[in-house]
Amino acid sequence: MPAIELTHLIKTFGPVRAVDDVSFSVEQGELFGLLGPNGAGKTTAIRCMLDIFKPDSGSVAILGGAMSEAKKDKIGYMPEERGLYQDIPLDRCLAYLGTLKGLSQAEVRQRAEGYLERFDLAAHRHKKVKELSKGMQQKAQIIATLLHQPELLIVDEPFAGLDPVNTQMIKDLLREQRQQGVTLVLCSHQMHLVEELCDRIVLIDHGKVMIYGGLEEVRRRFSGNALIVHADGEIPALPGVERVEPVNGAVKLHLSAGAKPQEVLRALVAKDIPLDRFEIAMPTLDEIFIRVVQSTPQGQSTPKGQGEGGGA
Amino acid sequence: MKKILIVIKNEIITLLSRPSFWLGALGLPLVGALIFAAVGAINNNASASQTVSQVFAGPQEMRPEGYVDLSGILQQIPESVPPGTFVAYPDEAAARLALESGEIAAFYLVPADFIESGEITYVRPDFNPLSSASGDQSDLFAWVLQVNLAGGDMLFANLVNGPLDVEQVSLAPVAAPDEDNPLAYWTPYAVTLLFYMLIISSASLLLSNISKEKENRIMEVLLTSVTPRQLLTGKIIGLGVVGLGQTLLWLGTSYVLLNISGRTFQLPSEILLPASFLTWGLVFFLLGYAVYASLMAGLGALAPNLREASQATFVVMLPLMIPLFFSSTVFMEDPHGPIATGLSLFPLSAPVAMMARLSSGGVTWWQPWLAALLLAGTAALIVRGVAGMFRAQSLLSGQGFNAKMYLKALVGRM
């Protein structure tokens, strides 16, 4: 039973179709990346998952069925637009949000204690939230999201505004949650972190699913016909190789259509070229992201940065 | 239900923990008590109204006044007037001389054509706009003239002065207060103002509360735990309880502080309000609060921030302000005329207007019932309309806002 299952989801705001026939599922216990440029429809999809928005059509199954009051208490959500009560002390803010998730005051106190210590916020618990730094508020928001020990955790840009030390702390925390069996959905524009953490991804652009699958599978799919070769000496002309491009002390061999890496390897060995390394050139998630987003008609016509604003 | 209770509890605790709330809640009775204490220190025996006028106009002294009667009407000074109160002078020059020498405080010049013109000149050395020319002695002089015009017959003069001595029997559920009593006269105004303040202050809390949550961006986090309706219900009840508590606090602290300041708050029997007034007060406060708090919640839901909501706030609050505009005329002069009756039955102005009329007494028994019924129906419709606009999409939207858009949303056309 998937933790989340979206089937042909459509959500429209006036003339704008924010989510357009989106289908994907998130398996229990996996760390799933929900990616897309700003305004792609990620937040709307999440709000539909969480029953904040009702979809126009399609269905959402969460933790095995429709959303219920009891299920709400099993879900933790940290939105991209951070929000905490600014004028009340941190401990009271956490107590309110925790009790709304079904915890008793005593449970909130006990659990908050541990998290506040871990995130170096124990000394600031009686301070008003607005008196905390941006990074501290970010950590406080994460505590509020985890306090009720959710089964499903949806975190939108959890690394935004954090220094490397705190970024590492959050990475460790997400891995720890995963080890404990929590299903995680991670939205982030920091692709190297997604590559590092996620098992599978979905990339949405203009409301549509552009890529969906396991991370390695996706990278392989976008690897194109190219090889990275670390060799001692010049690479001669080889059958099936269209172009040779130097890349960071190695060479990237662009293969012609139909050419196979094994044939190129055989040719290199036959020509007695000493090889240090021979690998299929795998694109980074960053490269895949840019390639996909720019390949859509809207992406080609929209200059980079235009239409940003998120929340669609 | 449990989550609604959590929201209620949070709203109450959050509001009560704000210093600004206590400043407002305790500040008003404190200022009132300080004023009473200061007034009490100035004159411990005088009534409040006398003392206040003395503060501005200076202490009153009963000094003799003169008169020059060129009409020949003033043949005698009635026995009821203390001797030496009025001193006769043969002409204006003699009276002016006496005034300049300080023998008299002022003098009246009754001209020869007084019977035709009815005019009398009152001459005094100083000018004090706050010191009324129709003070005790002017009234007394008027009485002297009246007795003399009646040929010296005091009983006849008395009857001319007030021929209609009516004993009023009211069939209304509340007692009609004495209209001649200035405190009774001002009671409708005070009640209008009190109910306006109570409803506006309590309802406005809801607007600022929701706007703040939108600005703090906490709304999206809350909506993963509670539904918009649970949130709305919790907020209306929570802030309503605080509003009701604040009302009791104002009355309670006023009573305590006034006692401490040594001046007990004793209403004259003419304006004592019956128990039914308090019951109706509670009914109209709660229904009025339900209507205006819902309207404010709707504003908070649609407007992206408090600043943009302010233009629509005036439109929403206007019906409640109308009785205030009329309070010094309609509700005090003619509390049962068509305008006052119409405003007290019109649901949006009823919470204030009906209470103002009830405080003046003599309201036909069925009118409060009809007003409450109409108000309850309106409250139900408005709560329903606002619940419709209190949706996640509105709460999370940052789009522009105007009063027209709000009214359209209220009737479900958006």
Side-chain angles (χ1 to χ4, degrees), chain A:
Chain A
M1 178 190 70
I4 302 171
E5 190 163 25
L6 268 61
T7 313
H8 301 297
L9 197 74
I10 293 176
K11 179 68 186 174
T12 307
F13 299 110
V16 180
R17 184 166 278 198
V19 175
D20 189 2
D21 197 25
V22 165
S23 299
F24 65 85
S25 64
V26 180
E27 297 304 323
Q28 289 205 8
E30 78 170 325
L31 213 161
F32 186 84
L34 176 54
L35 314 178
N38 292 327
K42 302 186 299 290
T43 306
T44 303
I46 291 173
R47 286 174 179 172
C48 288
M49 283 179 215
L50 296 173
D51 203 34
I52 296 175
F53 286 171
K54 302 285 177 204
D56 299 336
S57 65
S59 66
V60 177
I62 198 141
L63 299 174
M67 179 65 87
S68 65
E69 284 291 308
K71 281 181 187 172
K72 280 185 180 177
D73 294 347
K74 294 178 181 174
I75 299 168
Y77 173 45
M78 187 171 88
E80 184 181 7
E81 289 196 338
R82 310 281 182 253
L84 291 170
Y85 287 100
Q86 296 291 313
D87 293 323
I88 62 173
L90 173 61
D91 52 356
R92 192 139 59 78
C93 183
L94 292 176
Y96 178 49
L97 297 176
T99 48
L100 276 180
K101 285 290 185 189
L103 297 181
S104 67
Q105 289 284 355
E107 284 172 319
V108 170
R109 262 195 302 276
Q110 188 201 340
R111 291 183 190 181
E113 185 74 37
Y115 281 118
L116 288 169
E117 289 290 344
R118 180 172 179 178
F119 285 92
D120 292 328
L121 287 175
H124 306 282
R125 75 180 67 186
H126 302 307
K127 281 187 185 169
K128 284 185 178 174
V129 173
K130 67 181 174 191
E131 292 166 6
L132 303 178
S133 71
K134 197 179 169 191
M136 285 178 180
Q137 289 194 33
Q138 171 92 334
K139 289 192 281 184
Q141 187 98 45
I142 291 166
I143 295 174
T145 312
L146 294 173
L147 209 54
H148 57 291
Q149 295 176 347
E151 286 178 25
L152 171 62
L153 192 57
I154 301 172
V155 283
D156 200 347
E157 294 294 349
F159 308 105
L162 293 181
D163 60 35
V165 175
N166 283 315
T167 300
Q168 187 58 48
M169 187 191 287
I170 300 301
K171 269 163 50 179
D172 293 344
L173 187 82
L174 294 180
R175 286 195 180 107
E176 182 188 300
Q177 291 291 314
R178 189 189 169 194
Q179 278 166 7
Q180 289 170 4
V182 175
T183 306
L184 286 121
V185 177
L186 168 68
C187 295
S188 179
H189 288 135
Q190 287 162 284
M191 294 299 146
H192 64 286
L193 293 172
V194 175
E195 271 185 289
E196 205 178 314
L197 293 166
C198 292
D199 308 305
R200 295 192 309 134
I201 60 159
V202 64
L203 194 153
I204 298 175
D205 189 22
H206 292 92
K208 290 179 184 295
V209 171
M210 307 304 290
I211 304 170
Y212 172 47
L215 197 60
E216 285 309 306
E217 175 204 331
V218 169
R219 289 180 69 194
R220 205 169 296 121
R221 209 190 307 158
F222 279 82
S223 63
N225 249 355
L227 301 167
I228 300 285
V229 176
H230 292 252
D232 192 9
E234 288 240 336
I235 303 289
L238 296 167
V241 175
E242 276 183 347
R243 186 158 58 89
V244 179
E245 177 194 353
V247 179
N248 297 332
V251 286
K252 192 169 186 181
L253 307 180
H254 295 271
L255 308 187
S256 55
K260 292 208 166 73
Q262 288 84 349
E263 291 167 3
V264 177
L265 180 61
R266 261 198 294 273
L268 283 167
V269 172
K271 288 186 187 278
D272 203 21
I273 306 287
L275 295 175
D276 294 332
R277 220 163 137 193
F278 180 90
E279 60 185 306
I280 291 174
M282 296 279 263
T284 63
L285 205 50
D286 249 330
E287 289 168 331
I288 296 171
F289 186 96
I290 292 167
R291 208 187 301 173
V292 170
V293 170
Q294 289 188 340
S295 70
T296 59
Q298 296 94 332
Q300 283 167 347
S301 61
T302 308
K304 197 179 176 187
Q306 198 172 313
E308 287 185 355

Side-chain angles (χ1 to χ4, degrees), chain B residues 15 34 39 55 117 124 145 152 161 181-182 184 213 216 219 233 249 296 368 398 411:
Chain B
L15 203 57
L34 285 174
V39 167
V55 167
S117 67
R124 55 179 297 148
L145 275 172
N161 192 34
N181 187 303
E213 282 185 355
N216 282 345
M219 202 55 96
T233 312
L249 194 74
M296 287 297 193
V411 295

Side-chain angles (χ1 to χ4, degrees), chain B residues 238-299:
Chain B
L239 295 175
V241 166
V242 177
L244 206 62
Q246 185 176 332
T247 310
L248 296 172
L249 194 74
W250 279 7
L251 297 175
T253 47
S254 300
Y255 182 80
V256 170
L257 289 170
L258 286 170
N259 270 306
I260 291 169
S261 69
R263 297 191 63 87
T264 50
F265 195 63
Q266 291 174 333
L267 287 172
S269 58
E270 291 91 333
I271 63 158
L272 278 181
L273 300 167
S276 64
F277 178 84
L278 295 175
T279 312
W280 281 121
L282 197 66
V283 169
F284 280 100
F285 169 76
L286 290 175
L287 290 173
Y289 171 75
V291 167
Y292 284 94
S294 305
L295 287 171
M296 287 297 193
L299 270 183

Side-chain angles (χ1 to χ4, degrees), chain B residues 95-115:
Chain B
R96 273 189 192 277
L97 208 63
L99 184 65
E100 283 163 15
S101 67
E103 284 174 37
I104 53 173
F107 70 87
Y108 301 89
L109 183 63
V110 185
D113 63 345
F114 170 66
I115 296 291

